[in-house]
Amino acid sequence: MCQLLGLNCATPTDATFSFTGFRERGGHTDHHADGWGIAFFEGKGLRLFIDHESAAQSPMAAFLQAYPLKSRNIIAHVRKATVGEVALENAHPFVRELWGRQWVFAHNGDLKDYQPRLHSHFRPVGSTDSERAFCWLMQELHKSHAALPTVDELTRTLQELIPQVRAFGTFNFLLSNGEALWAHCSTNLHWLVRQHPFAHAKLKDCDWTVDFAAINQPGDRAAVIVTTPLTSNETWTAFEPNELKVFVDGLPLELA
């Protein structure tokens, strides 16, 4: 299994603190050493970094840890290969264009014998079940809407589509188009919101404590979504099994 990290923020925020702890799980404090990746939205643009090396040893990961990039939506992934060889084309997150927007997807799980019928526009480049699921979701969203829908409409469509993939196995995922971040839990996912009044946070995977009150303004806010909690002194909320949440401006939206 892999691990997921997502940030959805009210203002452009860097992921240095969270990524530092998360990176350790890519081959140091955990065994997810079969590749990694991270995507940062900047307006309609996207910065994507992927590597088939372990995150804990990757010079590119070390560079990003030392050179923080600010974004309102960030998705990261460390991989433990189950389907598909260890190769660059199988590193998450995956990216596709739809309705003139970039879409980013990362998956933690294992989909057994998952071979969906895919049309010409959305095809996997690599050999993972994860990329096949992403292509199918994009295909079905495109079939369901003629143009970019609202976040609420997209959420309702995803609620209809997800069970069709989940029937094949474990389907924990993060998905974003730069406007919102969708998080679905089959088995294991946690979240919290950091906002005013900010406090200290201590990483579990390495010795680093940050006073967020010293580096944030009252209007700053960030929702952090991760497979297992990154910090030892904050209150994380576990997703319910088969729960879908959508985050906008650093807060979870109430779903109908």
Side-chain angles (χ1 to χ4, degrees):
M1 291 293 184
C2 310
Q3 290 216 6
L4 303 169
L5 170 65
L7 280 82
N8 171 267
C9 311
T11 57
T13 302
D14 75 70
T16 304
F17 179 73
S18 295
F19 182 65
T20 297
F22 187 68
R23 178 192 173 200
E24 293 294 303
R25 299 178 180 183
H28 187 196
T29 60
D30 215 328
H31 58 204
H32 307 90
D34 297 330
W36 68 277
I38 187 167
F40 304 84
F41 282 93
E42 295 183 23
K44 289 187 177 181
L46 182 74
R47 296 182 189 268
L48 175 67
F49 302 86
I50 55 173
D51 196 349
H52 65 284
E53 303 292 341
S54 72
Q57 302 298 324
S58 168
M60 188 188 302
F63 165 77
L64 290 172
Q65 188 174 317
Y67 184 71
L69 297 171
K70 291 192 173 183
S71 173
R72 293 182 60 194
N73 285 280
I74 300 166
I75 291 179
H77 182 274
V78 288
R79 183 177 184 230
K80 177 64 176 176
T82 53
V83 178
E85 64 182 343
V86 177
L88 189 63
E89 65 268 23
N90 290 330
H92 308 218
F94 302 106
V95 179
R96 293 293 187 277
E97 177 276 330
L98 180 58
W99 302 307
R101 300 291 292 266
Q102 302 274 21
W103 290 76
V104 173
F105 174 89
H107 168 228
N108 165 29
D110 191 7
L111 303 173
K112 301 293 186 183
D113 300 319
Y114 183 66
Q115 298 290 338
R117 185 176 180 181
L118 297 173
H119 305 313
S120 59
H121 189 62
F122 298 103
R123 294 279 189 177
V125 175
S127 55
T128 66
D129 52 345
S130 306
E131 191 181 13
R132 289 195 292 272
F134 180 37
C135 288
W136 185 81
L137 285 177
M138 291 293 95
Q139 171 182 284
E140 297 306 305
L141 287 173
H142 182 246
K143 287 164 60 177
S144 299
H145 303 279
L148 179 65
T150 66
V151 170
D152 285 344
E153 290 172 324
L154 283 165
T155 303
R156 286 195 291 271
T157 305
L158 285 170
Q159 287 174 320
E160 296 173 358
L161 296 175
I162 288 169
Q164 299 178 57
V165 183
R166 195 171 61 212
F168 288 85
T170 306
F171 197 42
N172 305 294
F173 74 77
L174 300 177
L175 172 72
S176 181
N177 64 357
E179 181 183 5
L181 191 153
W182 289 267
H184 176 261
C185 174
S186 280
T187 55
N188 197 20
L189 211 56
H190 296 77
W191 67 278
L192 60 71
V193 172
R194 295 192 183 115
Q195 60 187 342
H196 184 77
F198 292 96
H200 290 75
K202 179 178 175 56
L203 288 173
K204 283 185 172 183
D205 295 85
C206 59
D207 186 16
W208 191 12
T209 300
V210 164
D211 179 8
F212 282 107
I215 59 176
N216 285 281
Q217 304 299 317
D220 294 338
R221 181 174 58 241
V224 185
I225 305 96
V226 69
T227 301
T228 58
L230 286 170
T231 56
S232 58
N233 66 328
E234 295 181 291
T235 301
W236 294 82
T237 301
F239 280 64
E240 296 295 328
N242 302 328
E243 182 179 15
L244 175 69
K245 284 186 174 294
V246 56
F247 297 83
V248 175
D249 293 332
L251 288 174
L253 298 184
E254 293 295 330
L255 301 183

